[in-house]
Amino acid sequence: MIGVVSFEHVGMSRQWTYDEQSFASSIADLVAMAIEKAERKRMEAQVEHLAYYDQLTKLPNRIYLYQQLQEVLKEAKQDNREFVVMFFDLDQFKHINDSLGHTFGDQLLLEVATRIKTSIREIDLFARMGGDEFVLILPRIRQKEDAVLIAERINNAFKEPIKLENQELYITTSIGISVYPSDGEDEESLIKNADSAMYEAKGKGRNAYEFYSSFMSEQAEQRLLMETNLNKALDRKEFILFYQPIIDLNSNKMRGGGEALIRWNHPELGLQSPASFISLAEETGLIIPPIGYWVIQSVCEQIKLWEKQYDMHDFRVAINISVVQFEDERFVEKVKTILEGTNIQPNLLEFEITESVMQNMETSIAVLGELQKVGIKISLDDFGTGYSSLSILKHLPINNIKIDKIFIDDLRAENDETIVQNIIDMSQNMNFKVVAEGIEHEGQLDFLKHNHCDYGQGYFFNRPQAVSDFEKNFG
């Protein structure tokens, strides 16, 4: 039953005639047909919305995007004009999703979509491709600078932190831009090339935008080759460790330690530095924890070997710990297992973490505290490039501060000299040891010595070395 139609007769009570009954029945049928039609339209609209719109953000989805992009292409060809496709995603979104949960990740995506919508024009089409990937079509631009303006607006929309569930997150985006017709004459090419440009933006440090150029297609093919081989590299024993000495700046001698740095002996491309594959492994979710635990295991075994060969019992090695590894719930437990299995003293390990692990401050402090209880030393790496403040540092259970290389590179600039001086003074007042990264010439060394920096490393002393070469520093 759809509903009830009621008829009333005013006057004396009597039986309805056949014609009156037929009329009432016809009216009821017409009303039922109208209701059914309205319900059908409502259902069709609901089905259409499910088919063409993302259910979380309510943005157009991939299907709708491709349909509209075909229309924009048709009009652009007829009018002989350019238009722009932007492909972008959130930097480090997977880490946030894994550590804080998918419900939190969904809320974050909603806030992201809201901020981006306020940064674009009414005529632009903004769609969610899936996950944290979005596409923006700018159907009418006068010049490339129009696209730059909107890309900068999008990045600027995330300068202020996002506050969700008592968490304060700094989000950045990487944006790739392709332009019709120079970068593609069909929807697939334009989106694929914008995607390639986005990865180029990520490679330049994230929170950036990049226009497509033809060499990026070659890079995309290279990236695919790297990704395919990366899955097999650990099983094939293609990873090796290099070591770089850390120098006591008072004596100019190795302080009794160094930093372990992974290399990939790629079967076709040769020796690869971490810059060429670690970010890829993190972005794709490939094998980062296994690589990280392999590094810790290998370093511990190497320290044990050096203890036997050189009678060295105070040789500490620093290891970079990725955000993904740090967020593993069993991280501390697995480290303890490795230490027990190799029978080395925990104080011979130093874990270097970056400021990015502080997205979840409470958890980070708890994990760092557990590691220190075990006896492992903690260094805050790349200091000065993230979001650390004095109020945060007061509560962090760390031993050392490593000044980021970018400040050491520009020590001739007055501002950077002041920054480095302040970092050294502040750190030592808080009882942290200070390590300067990236020392490459004597002028930098003289400045750091004059300002009482404790330790340094860089090409001025030694490049990262294979084990056999590194051991020559022991004498």
Side-chain angles (χ1 to χ4, degrees), residues 332-386:
V332 177
E333 178 189 335
K334 290 176 180 176
V335 170
K336 286 180 181 178
T337 301
I338 292 172
L339 288 169
E340 290 167 4
T342 53
N343 193 30
I344 72 159
Q345 294 302 309
N347 65 343
L348 299 181
L349 285 185
E350 181 176 311
F351 284 173
E352 295 188 358
I353 55 136
T354 61
E355 298 175 59
S356 57
V357 307
M358 296 174 209
Q359 291 279 16
N360 189 337
M361 183 61 64
E362 190 176 330
T363 302
S364 299
I365 290 173
V367 173
L368 292 174
E370 284 187 64
L371 291 169
Q372 278 205 334
K373 282 180 185 176
V374 172
I376 295 168
K377 303 297 182 183
I378 307 294
S379 283
L380 184 58
D381 200 7
D382 300 338
F383 183 76
T385 60

Side-chain angles (χ1 to χ4, degrees), residues 214-255:
S214 56
F215 83 91
M216 292 178 188
S217 293
E218 297 173 15
Q219 287 189 326
E221 291 176 14
Q222 184 93 331
R223 174 187 167 86
L224 183 60
L225 175 65
M226 293 279 280
E227 188 176 319
T228 303
N229 289 332
L230 190 56
N231 266 318
K232 305 168 185 174
L234 200 56
D235 290 336
R236 291 174 174 171
K237 303 186 187 308
E238 292 171 357
F239 293 118
I240 57 176
L241 290 178
F242 276 39
Y243 293 84
Q244 186 174 36
I246 297 176
I247 306 299
D248 184 330
L249 297 188
N250 290 317
S251 64
N252 271 7
K253 294 181 180 179
M254 194 160 64
R255 70 170 185 182

Side-chain angles (χ1 to χ4, degrees), residues 222 226 262-266 268-277:
Q222 184 93 331
M226 293 279 280
I262 192 170
R263 297 290 185 267
W264 179 14
N265 194 11
H266 192 283
E268 296 172 37
L269 304 174
L271 205 60
Q272 301 292 304
S273 74
S276 67
F277 64 89

Side-chain angles (χ1 to χ4, degrees), residues 118-135:
T118 63
S119 307
I120 61 178
R121 307 168 302 179
E122 287 188 12
I123 62 169
D124 301 330
L125 175 63
F126 177 40
R128 183 186 180 199
M129 290 287 279
D132 65 320
E133 294 180 336
F134 298 89
V135 168

Side-chain angles (χ1 to χ4, degrees), residues 415-469:
N415 286 344
D416 284 323
E417 284 189 357
T418 304
I419 290 170
V420 172
Q421 283 175 332
N422 288 338
I423 291 174
I424 293 171
D425 291 342
M426 173 204 71
S427 300
Q428 292 178 341
N429 286 336
M430 299 175 76
N431 295 318
F432 301 140
K433 294 294 185 181
V434 183
V435 183
E437 296 182 284
I439 301 173
E440 295 184 358
H441 58 76
E442 196 164 2
Q444 295 168 332
L445 177 61
D446 290 342
F447 175 87
L448 292 164
K449 281 185 172 183
H450 178 74
N451 285 279
H452 310 293
C453 183
D454 300 295
Y455 302 106
Q457 67 185 107
Y459 288 1
F460 180 77
F461 303 109
N462 287 104
R463 290 174 177 268
Q465 301 168 312
V467 171
S468 57
D469 292 322

Side-chain angles (χ1 to χ4, degrees), residues 95-108:
H95 306 324
I96 296 170
N97 217 21
D98 290 345
S99 60
L100 299 177
H102 292 279
T103 301
F104 187 95
D106 287 348
Q107 292 176 353
L108 178 61

Side-chain angles (χ1 to χ4, degrees), residues 86-103:
M86 291 185 178
F87 195 110
F88 54 96
D89 71 5
L90 308 183
D91 300 325
Q92 304 295 332
F93 177 74
K94 185 179 185 302
H95 306 324
I96 296 170
N97 217 21
D98 290 345
S99 60
L100 299 177
H102 292 279
T103 301

